[in-house]
Amino acid sequence: MTAPTRSCLAACAVLVLAGSVAHAETEPAALVDQQHCMFCHTRDAPFLAPSFQQIAERYRNVPDAQFKLEHKLRLGGKAHWGDMAMPLPADRGGPLSADDAHTLVQWVLSQ
Ligand code: HEC
């Protein structure tokens, strides 16, 4: 049995990862600031949103979490922690490039 969708997902994730290495220059802290992440999140205490440590914990063993969360950060998605979904970049402080999303998710997952 083959699973074409899954393997595409993996390949795409690898492409995304490879593509962003060269450009990942903006400091995560600057992006967090610029996108007002700490308006709703904190590092270690659930507030309006799950803490970044909770998020990191939840996705620790999810292989394509980086890819999925980058996508979600840029394009949105359904709420699944609680009732409130993450606002889109336009409502947070401006557009978010793929590279910046990558940097942010990497930072969140390292908490
Ligand atoms: C206006 C409030 C708000 C702001 C600002 C905000 N978030 Fe969130 N975030 C949330 C909420 C609420 C959730 C839970 C959403 C859900 O249930 O899927 C969430 C979830 C997440 C998740 C987990 C998504 C998932 O699918 O499990 C990540 C990663 C995340 N936020 C990162 C960020 C980053 C990085 C920033 C800054 C760029 C940011 N958030 C800014 C409210 C916010």
Side-chain angles (χ1 to χ4, degrees):
M1 277 248 276
T2 53
T5 320
R6 265 197 78 79
S7 58
C8 168
L9 207 59
C12 296
V14 168
L15 280 181
V16 170
L17 290 176
S20 359
V21 170
H23 303 283
E25 280 150 14
T26 318
E27 284 292 314
L31 289 170
V32 165
D33 217 35
Q34 185 191 322
Q35 291 268 318
H36 308 294
C37 308
M38 295 315 200
F39 192 82
C40 304
H41 294 274
T42 73
R43 266 178 105 120
D44 53 9
F47 176 42
L48 294 172
S51 74
F52 285 139
Q53 284 176 359
Q54 280 180 304
I55 295 171
E57 191 56 42
R58 177 169 179 162
Y59 290 104
R60 186 126 16 238
N61 297 313
V62 181
D64 49 359
Q66 173 83 30
F67 177 75
K68 280 201 287 213
L69 291 178
E70 280 174 33
H71 189 270
K72 187 151 185 178
L73 219 49
R74 298 187 69 210
L75 304 172
K78 280 210 194 108
H80 65 135
W81 289 81
D83 303 331
M84 192 165 102
M86 274 265 293
L88 289 173
D91 301 320
R92 292 194 310 249
L96 185 66
S97 74
D99 286 346
D100 290 352
H102 180 77
T103 308
L104 277 171
V105 172
Q106 215 168 34
W107 177 80
V108 170
L109 294 180
S110 73
Q111 297 301 300

